[in-house]
Amino acid sequence: MRDAEAPDEPPRHVLAATDLSARAGRAVRRAAMVAARHGARLTVLHVVPIDVDPDSAAFAQARLHDHVREQLDGLPQAGTGSGTHVPAELSASRSALDVLVRTGGVADVVLTEAGQRSVDLLVVGAHGSHGLLDALLGSTAENLVRASPVPVLVVRDAPADEYREVLLAVDGSDSGVGALRTGAALAPGARRTVVHVHVVPGEHLLRMRGVAEPQVAEYRQRNAHRVRERVEELMGQAGLTGPQRARVLVETGRPHDVLSQTAERLGADLTVVGTGAGSRLGYALLGSVAQHVVHGAAGDVLVVRSVPQHPPAAQAEAGAEPQAKAQAKPQAQAQAEAGEA
């Protein structure tokens, strides 16, 4: 697979996994659109269980070719009008297209093929007729999202055009820059909104101490301002400045609920979340949040495995003091500050 520390590049090799159902075909269609948009190679993979008889395996091979043809034939060709165009090498000669049937466990086979083929984007459907992603939202998808060192795009909607509205979720950590870059690179023409969902440290304890609500609200506002500054810093690191600048939202609440609700409110057709990293602010978008978003988002979801920008030792040497400033204040200090307000 491609180096996970360079997530700002558009994908060069896209792998779509399908169970041959109509819903899984949406993933194949979206994968073809992404590959066409970025001039990437496309591999479409169907995994047959180990205990399937030879005749069924042969049928799956033939059906997969028909399945892929159905999805590609429905997309416009270059020079035939607006929208995303599938180049001739995908739709006709297929020299940039591989169609594969393999045997084994879905997640294991997908990840093995992705590694052997230097894939840098996995695409799967949000639902399948016999378990590719009904299971994906249970064990298979969880294993795939957690184990894949490259981004995983979970497709829910039937794609008709490129992504238009992208919601980019950040958790305040340096490793979240990768998710910002990856989402921006995947959908370069979309309108972008960066959202951070935070919890005010010790807010419930302030109320238990009897701190007046206006003082709690003032403390919450100061904390949100500090978080916004951090988000703006991450956007700068991700190159989302100038013409590439995104709108910023700082929200409070349970991350997975707020992200799904915000995506629905904005009409986002793609939500981008990072997984696998802790947050310097203490409000990590952990894997469980990413999984909830995969379940609950109305549109497609891109899950990006977070990679720290610097090794821990180098990061400690480079800036323990700036990092401490970005962290939430200790509990006692937060309460004292609210009491002085």
Side-chain angles (χ1 to χ4, degrees):
M1 297 187 189
R2 205 174 68 188
D3 186 354
E5 294 188 17
D8 49 333
E9 301 176 13
R12 295 194 295 257
H13 193 159
V14 180
L15 187 152
T18 176
D19 66 359
L20 306 180
S21 69
R23 284 187 174 272
R26 297 176 181 180
V28 175
R29 186 180 180 91
R30 175 60 72 183
M33 295 171 70
V34 170
R37 176 66 173 81
H38 298 290
R41 187 172 192 86
L42 174 64
T43 295
V44 181
L45 172 66
H46 174 67
V47 182
V48 176
I50 295 175
D51 55 354
V52 166
D53 65 89
D55 289 342
S56 295
F59 172 80
Q61 179 76 51
R63 179 68 189 97
L64 178 59
H65 282 272
D66 292 339
H67 178 71
V68 171
R69 188 178 301 110
E70 290 167 3
Q71 299 306 319
L72 297 189
D73 288 349
L75 294 174
Q77 305 304 305
T80 62
S82 62
T84 300
H85 304 297
V86 176
E89 59 265 29
L90 286 184
S91 60
S93 68
R94 305 186 187 279
S95 61
L97 170 65
D98 295 313
V99 179
L100 308 174
V101 173
R102 295 290 185 263
T103 301
V106 176
D108 288 342
V109 172
V110 169
L111 292 174
T112 297
E113 289 292 334
Q116 292 176 348
R117 295 172 180 272
S118 299
V119 164
D120 43 19
L121 178 66
L122 300 179
V123 184
V124 292
H127 298 285
S129 64
H130 35 275
L132 178 61
L133 260 112
D134 287 333
L136 259 191
L137 296 181
S139 59
T140 306
E142 202 160 319
N143 291 337
L144 191 56
V145 169
R146 288 181 177 176
S148 174
V150 299
V152 179
L153 177 61
V154 180
V155 177
R156 178 170 280 104
D157 294 336
D161 207 342
E162 295 184 0
Y163 292 118
R164 299 180 181 274
E165 187 78 38
V166 176
L167 184 66
L168 302 157
V170 295
D171 66 357
S173 65
D174 284 338
S175 55
V177 173
L180 290 177
R181 288 176 174 167
T182 302
L186 184 69
R191 184 169 59 177
R192 303 162 186 155
T193 300
V194 176
V195 60
H196 176 88
V197 185
H198 75 112
V199 178
V200 179
E203 182 173 335
H204 67 294
L205 293 179
L206 298 179
R207 289 196 171 92
M208 290 175 66
R209 287 180 50 229
V211 175
E213 189 60 35
Q215 294 173 321
V216 174
E218 185 177 345
Y219 170 60
R220 187 190 303 122
Q221 185 176 11
R222 287 198 297 268
N223 189 74
H225 178 73
R226 187 165 56 246
V227 169
R228 179 178 287 271
E229 288 180 339
R230 176 58 181 161
V231 172
E232 295 277 359
E233 179 185 343
L234 294 176
M235 288 173 56
Q237 294 176 26
L240 298 181
T241 58
Q244 301 297 321
R245 180 174 172 77
R247 174 174 48 172
V248 177
L249 296 177
V250 176
E251 307 283 358
T252 59
R254 298 175 61 190
H256 50 271
D257 291 336
V258 173
L259 290 177
S260 297
Q261 293 163 5
T262 303
E264 185 174 2
R265 185 177 76 248
L266 296 177
D269 44 14
L270 177 64
T271 300
V272 182
V273 295
T275 185
S279 169
R280 280 169 37 177
L281 293 176
Y283 323 123
L285 282 177
L286 299 176
S288 61
V289 174
Q291 290 298 318
H292 276 97
V293 173
V294 170
H295 277 279
D300 298 352
V301 179
L302 177 66
V303 182
V304 182
R305 184 174 181 177
S306 299
V307 179
Q309 290 186 297
H310 307 286
Q315 194 172 17
E317 293 177 3
E321 184 176 349
Q323 183 170 342
K325 290 181 180 179
Q327 291 176 336
K329 294 184 178 180
Q331 186 66 58
Q333 185 176 350
Q335 295 177 13
E337 182 180 281
E340 294 171 358

